[in-house]
Amino acid sequence: MNFYSITDQGKSRSMNQDRYANYFHSRFSLFLLADGMGGHNAGEVAAEVAIESARSYVMEQKSRSDYEALLREAVAVANRSVYEKSMTAPELRRMGTTLCAVLIDDARVYVAHVGDSRVYRFFDGQLQQVTRDHSVVADLLAQGLLTEEEALHHPDRNTLTRAVGTEEETDVDVDIFERTDFARWLLTSDGLTKMVDDARIQEILTEETDSRTASVKLVNEANANGGLDNITVTLVDLGELNGNDPAEQSL
């Protein structure tokens, strides 16, 4: 396994409210990504609290093997931590964040998410979005009430229907996939996906086989197209499974 993570402020934002963290254990690897929202520095705080809370919970529970339940609990802990933090100061009220968590062991890939940050699977030249955006526009698209073109300019295109920390509890989607040798897993904030369409992301992942080169190229493409938001990418390349696989790193 090789991976690379990168975050960039973009061209229009005054600060970067995205956060990521990666954690490696002998039995699994964990990748986390959050895109904070809120006035002033509240989004930055929400993303940081969510990432650290989820990472710490998994570290504390690392002896477990019920990974689906573990991820659900980690997101619930993150939600509670952000919500409680938001009650401590007026400027933090109603802050929240997206959260993606991908846990990979020697047999499966577990994907948990809340919000509109995305997880993709790239295999055999094909890119597949495996998460569904929790947003007003995604719901309208699913109902056939919007076209893809209309969605790009819809006034509620940035409105989430679900987030971490805005309410005392939140629902989390968890999906489980069989691990496939040589698949690539991409976690990304919407600073990439609103600037670069899926077809172009697929092209870049096809052209660039090195995780670092591909990640940097994705960020550069988003900035070249306007860079209207913070951009964060984690790209995980699964090689052939071997005894050292979960702990191998490219950083």
Side-chain angles (χ1 to χ4, degrees):
M1 175 191 295
N2 288 300
F3 78 94
Y4 190 74
S5 294
I6 182 172
T7 188
D8 189 273
Q9 186 170 307
K11 298 295 186 182
S12 299
R13 300 294 188 181
S14 60
M15 67 174 63
N16 191 342
Q17 296 189 326
D18 288 0
R19 292 291 184 273
Y20 70 85
N22 307 314
Y23 171 67
F24 301 92
H25 185 263
S26 59
R27 292 185 294 106
F28 64 84
S29 302
L30 176 70
F31 303 91
L32 298 165
L33 183 148
D35 177 358
M37 57 188 189
H40 303 290
N41 70 335
E44 179 182 27
V45 173
E48 190 151 339
V49 169
I51 289 285
E52 183 56 29
S53 299
R55 185 182 68 88
S56 296
Y57 186 80
V58 173
M59 289 173 64
E60 292 166 2
Q61 304 285 325
K62 60 183 179 289
S63 61
R64 292 170 52 177
S65 58
D66 54 335
Y67 296 137
E68 180 181 1
L70 179 59
L71 283 188
R72 286 188 186 279
E73 292 167 19
V75 174
V77 168
N79 184 79
R80 187 165 58 252
S81 297
V82 174
Y83 182 78
E84 290 175 354
K85 181 72 173 179
S86 74
M87 298 294 124
T88 63
E91 64 270 20
L92 301 180
R93 293 294 169 87
R94 299 295 299 167
M95 71 178 181
T97 182
T98 69
L99 184 60
C100 290
V102 175
L103 187 150
I104 303 172
D105 68 5
D106 61 1
R108 296 180 179 85
V109 178
Y110 301 80
V111 178
H113 91 289
V114 178
D116 65 351
S117 293
R118 294 179 179 177
V119 178
Y120 290 89
R121 179 179 182 266
F122 178 76
F123 180 69
D124 198 23
Q126 297 299 311
L127 184 72
Q128 175 193 8
Q129 182 182 339
V130 302
T131 55
R132 180 180 179 276
D133 295 352
H134 299 139
S135 68
V136 169
V137 163
D139 288 350
L140 292 173
L141 281 169
Q143 296 169 46
L145 300 176
L146 280 184
T147 65
E148 293 285 351
E149 179 63 27
E150 288 170 337
L152 294 175
H153 308 288
H154 195 277
D156 292 325
R157 62 187 178 277
N158 295 319
T159 303
L160 299 185
T161 56
R162 199 187 305 179
V164 168
T166 55
E167 304 289 343
E168 204 164 355
E169 295 182 0
T170 193
D171 293 328
V172 55
D173 291 351
V174 180
D175 296 289
I176 305 171
F177 304 87
E178 294 300 312
R179 176 171 172 153
T180 306
D181 286 348
F182 305 113
R184 308 177 91 177
W185 289 86
L186 174 68
L187 293 76
T188 179
S189 62
D190 66 352
L192 173 69
T193 55
K194 288 180 178 174
M195 294 289 101
V196 184
D197 64 27
D198 286 5
R200 181 56 181 149
I201 293 173
Q202 180 173 291
E203 284 181 6
I204 291 172
L205 294 182
T206 301
E207 294 164 358
E208 305 295 346
T209 57
D210 175 71
S211 57
R212 177 172 184 158
T213 303
S215 298
V216 171
K217 190 168 184 176
L218 288 170
V219 170
N220 288 343
E221 186 98 358
N223 276 324
N225 290 345
L228 298 181
D229 202 350
N230 309 142
I231 311 150
T232 301
V233 166
T234 291
L235 181 60
V236 183
D237 290 341
L238 300 182
E240 258 186 315
L241 183 63
N242 60 68
N244 297 321
D245 183 61
E248 289 183 6
Q249 304 180 36
S250 67
L251 289 182

